[in-house]
Amino acid sequence: SEPAGRTRWLKREEIARLIECLPGHLRAPAVLALATGLRRSVVLGLRWEQIDLERKVISIAGDEMKNGQNHSIPLSEIAVQTILSQAGKHPDRVFTYNGQPFDRFSS
Protein backbone atom coordinates (compact mmCIF):
# COMPACT_ATOMS: atom_id res chain seq x y z
CA SER A 1 0.00 0.00 0.00
CA GLU A 2 1.04 3.55 -0.64
CA PRO A 3 1.76 5.86 2.29
CA ALA A 4 -0.74 8.64 2.86
CA GLY A 5 0.42 11.93 1.45
CA ARG A 6 0.04 14.50 -1.20
CA THR A 7 0.65 13.78 -4.88
CA ARG A 8 1.95 16.80 -6.72
CA TRP A 9 2.48 17.02 -10.47
CA LEU A 10 4.95 19.41 -12.05
CA LYS A 11 3.42 22.18 -14.12
CA ARG A 12 4.66 22.72 -17.69
CA GLU A 13 6.49 25.87 -16.64
CA GLU A 14 8.23 24.01 -13.82
CA ILE A 15 9.31 21.24 -16.18
CA ALA A 16 10.72 23.79 -18.62
CA ARG A 17 12.67 25.54 -15.84
CA LEU A 18 13.99 22.23 -14.55
CA ILE A 19 15.23 21.17 -17.99
CA GLU A 20 16.79 24.60 -18.60
CA CYS A 21 18.78 24.36 -15.37
CA LEU A 22 20.35 21.01 -16.25
CA PRO A 23 23.71 20.63 -17.99
CA GLY A 24 23.31 19.74 -21.66
CA HIS A 25 24.17 16.05 -21.32
CA LEU A 26 21.47 15.55 -18.66
CA ARG A 27 18.59 17.22 -20.49
CA ALA A 28 17.61 14.35 -22.80
CA PRO A 29 17.66 11.67 -20.08
CA ALA A 30 15.63 13.93 -17.79
CA VAL A 31 13.05 14.58 -20.53
CA LEU A 32 12.72 10.84 -21.16
CA ALA A 33 12.38 10.14 -17.43
CA LEU A 34 9.61 12.74 -17.15
CA ALA A 35 7.89 11.48 -20.30
CA THR A 36 7.90 7.82 -19.27
CA GLY A 37 8.05 7.74 -15.48
CA LEU A 38 11.08 5.44 -15.64
CA ARG A 39 13.63 5.46 -12.84
CA ARG A 40 17.01 7.13 -13.27
CA SER A 41 18.93 3.85 -13.41
CA VAL A 42 16.65 2.45 -16.12
CA VAL A 43 16.84 5.61 -18.24
CA LEU A 44 20.61 5.96 -17.98
CA GLY A 45 21.13 2.25 -18.66
CA LEU A 46 18.81 2.22 -21.66
CA ARG A 47 20.14 0.25 -24.63
CA TRP A 48 19.12 0.64 -28.26
CA GLU A 49 18.02 -3.01 -28.38
CA GLN A 50 15.32 -2.22 -25.80
CA ILE A 51 13.64 0.36 -28.02
CA ASP A 52 11.10 -0.41 -30.72
CA LEU A 53 10.44 2.88 -32.50
CA GLU A 54 8.04 1.27 -34.97
CA ARG A 55 5.75 0.18 -32.13
CA LYS A 56 6.78 3.20 -29.99
CA VAL A 57 7.64 1.13 -26.93
CA ILE A 58 10.56 0.44 -24.59
CA SER A 59 10.86 -3.14 -23.33
CA ILE A 60 12.59 -3.62 -19.99
CA ALA A 61 13.41 -7.09 -18.64
CA GLY A 62 12.28 -7.85 -15.10
CA ASP A 63 15.82 -8.19 -13.77
CA GLU A 64 16.34 -4.49 -14.57
CA MET A 65 13.15 -3.33 -12.84
CA LYS A 66 12.70 -2.76 -9.12
CA ASN A 67 9.65 -5.06 -8.93
CA GLY A 68 11.29 -7.82 -11.00
CA GLN A 69 8.57 -7.89 -13.67
CA ASN A 70 8.98 -7.33 -17.40
CA HIS A 71 7.65 -3.97 -18.56
CA SER A 72 6.68 -2.41 -21.86
CA ILE A 73 6.57 1.36 -21.67
CA PRO A 74 4.65 3.26 -24.37
CA LEU A 75 6.43 6.23 -25.88
CA SER A 76 4.87 9.63 -26.45
CA GLU A 77 6.01 11.73 -29.39
CA ILE A 78 8.25 13.74 -27.03
CA ALA A 79 9.86 10.50 -25.82
CA VAL A 80 10.39 9.28 -29.39
CA GLN A 81 11.97 12.59 -30.44
CA THR A 82 14.20 12.58 -27.36
CA ILE A 83 15.43 9.07 -28.16
CA LEU A 84 15.97 9.92 -31.83
CA SER A 85 18.09 12.92 -30.78
CA GLN A 86 20.60 10.45 -29.33
CA ALA A 87 20.96 8.28 -32.46
CA GLY A 88 24.53 7.69 -33.59
CA LYS A 89 26.18 8.80 -30.36
CA HIS A 90 26.93 5.28 -29.07
CA PRO A 91 26.47 1.82 -30.61
CA ASP A 92 24.83 0.24 -27.53
CA ARG A 93 23.67 2.85 -25.02
CA VAL A 94 21.15 5.59 -25.68
CA PHE A 95 22.55 8.19 -23.27
CA THR A 96 26.22 9.08 -22.99
CA TYR A 97 28.52 11.75 -21.62
CA ASN A 98 31.59 12.57 -23.71
CA GLY A 99 30.87 9.48 -25.79
CA GLN A 100 30.79 7.11 -22.83
CA PRO A 101 27.82 5.59 -20.99
CA PHE A 102 27.16 7.11 -17.59
CA ASP A 103 25.06 5.99 -14.67
CA ARG A 104 24.32 9.07 -12.56
CA PHE A 105 22.45 12.30 -13.20
CA SER A 106 25.12 14.03 -11.17
CA SER A 107 27.91 13.26 -13.68
Side-chain angles (χ1 to χ4, degrees), residues 23-85:
H25 69 284
L26 297 179
R27 289 179 181 166
V31 168
L32 189 67
L34 288 165
T36 61
L38 289 170
R39 294 175 179 276
R40 173 186 61 211
S41 61
V42 175
V43 170
L44 294 180
L46 195 60
R47 298 180 310 278
W48 289 108
E49 67 189 34
Q50 296 172 297
I51 300 170
D52 183 341
L53 290 173
E54 187 174 309
R55 290 179 39 231
K56 294 185 178 182
V57 68
I58 295 173
S59 297
I60 308 291
D63 61 350
E64 298 178 53
M65 298 298 290
K66 185 177 179 181
N67 68 1
Q69 296 180 6
N70 294 339
H71 284 276
S72 292
I73 297 90
L75 298 173
S76 65
E77 193 56 36
I78 290 171
V80 169
Q81 292 305 314
T82 300
I83 290 167
L84 287 174
S85 75

Side-chain angles (χ1 to χ4, degrees), residues 88-102:
K89 293 184 179 183
H90 194 271
D92 181 49
R93 298 282 286 276
V94 176
F95 298 110
T96 62
Y97 178 60
N98 290 332
Q100 298 298 314
F102 65 106

Side-chain angles (χ1 to χ4, degrees), residues 3-43:
R6 186 178 121 196
T7 300
R8 184 183 174 298
W9 303 95
L10 291 176
K11 296 175 183 168
R12 289 181 190 265
E13 305 82 41
E14 293 172 315
I15 292 170
R17 281 197 317 255
L18 171 65
I19 300 302
E20 279 180 30
C21 291
L22 293 172
H25 69 284
L26 297 179
R27 289 179 181 166
V31 168
L32 189 67
L34 288 165
T36 61
L38 289 170
R39 294 175 179 276
R40 173 186 61 211
S41 61
V42 175
V43 170

